[in-house]
Every structure is written in structure tokens, then in C-alpha cells.
Amino acid sequence: MQLPVVWFFIIRIYPSRGRNGRHSGRSMSRNIEWNIDESLQQSLRAERFPRIEDTNTATSKGASVQREANVPESGSQYKIVSDVISELTSPVILHSVNLGYSDMLFNLLYSLQRIAFRPKTPSILVICAEKSCYHKMSDPPDDLTIDYIVVLTDLGESNKSAAGYKVPEFNVLVRKKPVYVQTLLKEDLDVLFVDSDIVLLDDPFPHFRGKGDIFVQQGYKRGVHNSGFFFMSSSPRTLHFTSVWNNSPGREGDQQNFNIAAKKLKKKIKITVLPTQRFMNGNVFQARMDNLDNATWYALDPKPIEVHANVIHGHDTKRQLLQKYDLWFAPPDE
């Protein structure tokens, strides 16, 4: 007689402790060791990065991002992510930027400085695409007092300071994003990724509660996710998502691949789209402002938590939009 197969899983709840015994600040609901998919956990432990080798380089032709040999090493004059992991606590606000958009990122940091985060301001990590950007971001204006950590990419420097949307240089730059995110997730750090052409006007973290592995901004139309603003909690599911994201075959930068991964894993991961009235992409924001006869953002009701100048192409056009609606918080000459 053949006995029936019984499937079971074990959940072990334990207090959340960060490095050096410090509390990680995350809710108890995330402090769970899942034994549901042991094969996935074993594969994630076995590989430091998916399909990333030490001697290959990133491309814009749909291949996954891979590590170069000629990159900064830990202990050099330029810090890389591995040098600062112990300084980070969860959650981490993550930015990646090149020199051409450093003024935009300074403006974003000024917007963060205005927010009363509770219980405290999160860790902020800035990954620079080239050494010139590293030096620029390491020397902030005197009145920018918010704490943030600057590192240099270890995935190869960019060769153009302000590449246009979807051109090859831009695609190479943004396709590194899933590797940056996965690096932090593997350290048990939750991640809020924020593009440089964004301003934050209020604390977004209360909106990342409830059921969901990923909370993401709506893209240019309904049903499309915007990979410029999303929150991921650290778990085997999000680690697997970043692997699929990095290895997806799309050729139009990271956003296409983010959406490919979301469709492929739709039955295995919970993705929540943030409300557009509070988390505004460029289309929604411009339409709302047009209805208000081009008043400033203060006239919006409800007040936005985040405004993203996506869909507006070109650095100067983005900056002019933010300035027009009183969303430029950096000094005028920055």
C-alpha cells in the first residue's frame, strides 16, 4: 500500500537583530525564517550573485549585468558597497547616479532633509557611476546636513556623464540596478530604491505595510511598473525576483526587465502598485497641475508623497519642471 505524501513547512519566529546585535527596526512579520522552498534557499546561499563573473562586463544588449576585473577593491581610496555594509541599518534608501544627474540627486537629498521620518531617518546609500560623481557627491553644500553614504560602483564605471533615456549608455547604467538591490537584500536589508529625478515630500514608509513583497510606482500607463521607485523587503522571494530581473532578456534598460520578471513570477510574489494620487509619475503630476492652472504642488489635494519627473525626457526639461512647481529644494546654482 502506497502511503500519501504529506507536505508541510515550519515557521520559526525570532527577534530581529541587526549587525553587532542592534535591532533592525523591521516589523515582526518580516522576522520569519521560511522553510517552504528549501531548494531556493540553498541556491541563494550558494551563489553570491546570479550569473556575475569576475572578468566580464555589463552590456546594453540584454545580457545580465556582470562584474569587471578592473574595478575598485575594498580598502582602496574609493569606498564600495562591501566597505560600508556594516554601517547600514534597515531600511536603506538607495540611489544610483552619474555626474550628469548629481544636481538632481542633491535636490532629492534636500527633499529628504525636509521630512520628519519616524522613528528616525533611514540609512541613505548613494552609488556613483564614476569617480567624478563620487567626488561631487562627497562634497555636499554646507546646508545639506542629512547623513548619507557615498560609494563607487564595483560594476564598472560609466563612460558618459548624462546619457539620454534608452540610449546604450543609459541602458548599461540602469541595468546595474538589480545587482545593487540584491546586494543589500542578501544582507537582510530592506530597500527603497529612488531615482534621482524624484522628490519625496513626506515619509513613504507607512505605505509599505501590509501584504506585499514589493511596493512599486505605476509606470506610464496602468499595468506597467516603474522601476525608478520601489520598496522591497528582504526575503527569499525578493532575492529570487532580483535574480530573474537581472537575467531577463529585455534590451530597453532595467524597467522592461522588471516587468518581465513581474509577469514571470506573478504567482510567486506579491507586488502592490502604489496609489497614483499620492505617488505621482510624470504623466499624473502634469495632468493634475494642468487642472490647477499651473499652481504649485502645495495646491494638490491630497498632497503627494512622491513626485517622479519620469516621462519628461532630458535633464534640463526635468529640472525646469521641478523648478516651475516649487519642487526644486537645492540651491539655484546647484
Side-chain angles (χ1 to χ4, degrees):
M1 176 177 175
Q2 185 176 2
L3 294 177
V5 177
V6 178
W7 296 94
F8 67 93
F9 62 87
I10 300 170
I11 299 177
R12 178 164 61 91
I13 299 177
Y14 53 90
S16 175
R17 291 284 175 183
R19 285 166 211 81
N20 302 320
R22 293 178 295 181
H23 195 277
S24 68
R26 291 176 304 182
S27 65
M28 181 62 73
S29 64
R30 292 185 197 150
N31 302 325
I32 297 174
E33 181 178 314
W34 297 91
N35 293 321
I36 299 173
D37 190 344
E38 189 64 29
S39 63
L40 172 59
Q41 290 203 43
Q42 289 175 354
S43 65
L44 291 170
R45 294 188 194 107
E47 56 179 28
R48 185 178 179 191
F49 295 101
R51 290 178 57 186
I52 296 173
E53 304 296 337
D54 291 335
T55 57
N56 296 318
T57 183
T59 74
S60 62
K61 299 182 179 180
S64 63
V65 172
Q66 302 174 349
R67 293 190 179 278
E68 291 184 343
N70 187 24
V71 296
E73 295 182 355
S74 179
S76 72
Q77 63 172 313
Y78 298 100
K79 289 185 177 181
I80 59 176
V81 174
S82 60
D83 294 321
V84 302
I85 284 292
S86 63
E87 301 175 42
L88 302 173
T89 57
S90 188
V92 177
I93 300 178
L94 174 64
H95 315 285
S96 63
V97 65
N98 59 11
L99 181 64
Y101 276 81
S102 58
D103 62 332
M104 290 277 200
L105 184 55
F106 274 132
N107 186 58
L108 170 56
L109 292 170
Y110 273 98
S111 77
L112 294 176
Q113 186 169 271
R114 302 169 67 252
I115 298 173
F117 290 98
R118 294 183 179 85
K120 64 176 183 177
T121 301
S123 296
I124 300 173
L125 179 63
V126 175
I127 302 179
C128 293
E130 64 273 307
K131 294 183 179 71
S132 55
C133 177
Y134 182 96
H135 293 299
K136 176 78 171 178
M137 295 307 304
S138 298
D139 186 24
D142 291 339
D143 60 343
L144 183 61
T145 57
I146 192 169
D147 290 332
Y148 63 92
I149 298 172
V150 180
V151 298
L152 183 63
T153 182
D154 61 346
L155 296 175
E157 294 184 57
S158 66
N159 56 12
K160 196 170 184 179
S161 63
Y165 181 61
K166 288 189 178 181
V167 303
E169 293 87 351
F170 175 86
N171 291 343
V172 170
L173 180 66
V174 297
R175 283 184 62 86
K176 299 171 183 176
K177 190 185 301 182
V179 182
Y180 297 150
V181 174
Q182 189 182 79
T183 301
L184 301 183
L185 294 177
K186 285 191 173 184
E187 297 294 332
D188 200 27
L189 297 166
D190 300 339
V191 178
L192 172 61
F193 186 91
V194 186
D195 268 352
S196 57
D197 60 345
I198 285 175
V199 291
L200 277 168
L201 304 170
D202 202 354
D203 185 354
F205 288 98
H207 297 266
F208 306 146
R209 295 171 182 164
K211 294 182 179 179
D213 300 297
I214 303 173
F215 294 80
V216 64
Q217 183 169 49
Q218 180 181 298
Y220 66 93
K221 65 179 181 179
R222 191 171 297 177
V224 175
H225 303 315
N226 185 288
S227 62
F229 186 87
F230 61 83
F231 175 83
M232 286 191 192
S233 57
S234 176
S235 72
R237 294 179 298 280
T238 53
L239 282 167
H240 185 50
F241 180 91
T242 54
S243 295
V244 175
W245 178 16
N246 182 46
N247 295 326
S248 294
R251 299 191 177 196
E252 296 184 4
D254 69 299
Q255 183 160 296
Q256 182 187 29
N257 289 340
F258 187 102
N259 282 274
I260 291 172
K263 290 179 180 179
K264 186 174 182 179
L265 301 175
K266 63 182 179 180
K267 294 183 178 180
K268 298 181 179 180
I269 195 163
K270 173 64 175 175
I271 299 179
T272 300
V273 179
L274 296 163
T276 57
Q277 297 303 302
R278 306 301 304 277
F279 296 85
M280 294 186 177
N281 60 42
N283 283 338
V284 171
F285 180 71
Q286 286 190 303
R288 292 286 305 279
M289 297 312 300
D290 289 343
N291 291 336
L292 294 173
D293 295 326
N294 293 324
T296 68
W297 72 272
Y298 296 101
L300 292 170
D301 186 23
K303 293 286 191 300
I305 293 168
E306 174 255 4
V307 175
H308 193 172
N310 66 327
V311 190
I312 299 102
H313 298 314
H315 169 277
D316 294 345
T317 308
K318 291 174 184 287
R319 177 164 175 158
Q320 289 164 9
L321 176 86
L322 296 175
Q323 291 173 326
K324 179 180 180 179
Y325 296 117
D326 286 349
L327 291 171
W328 193 262
F329 303 109
D333 57 347
E334 180 52 55

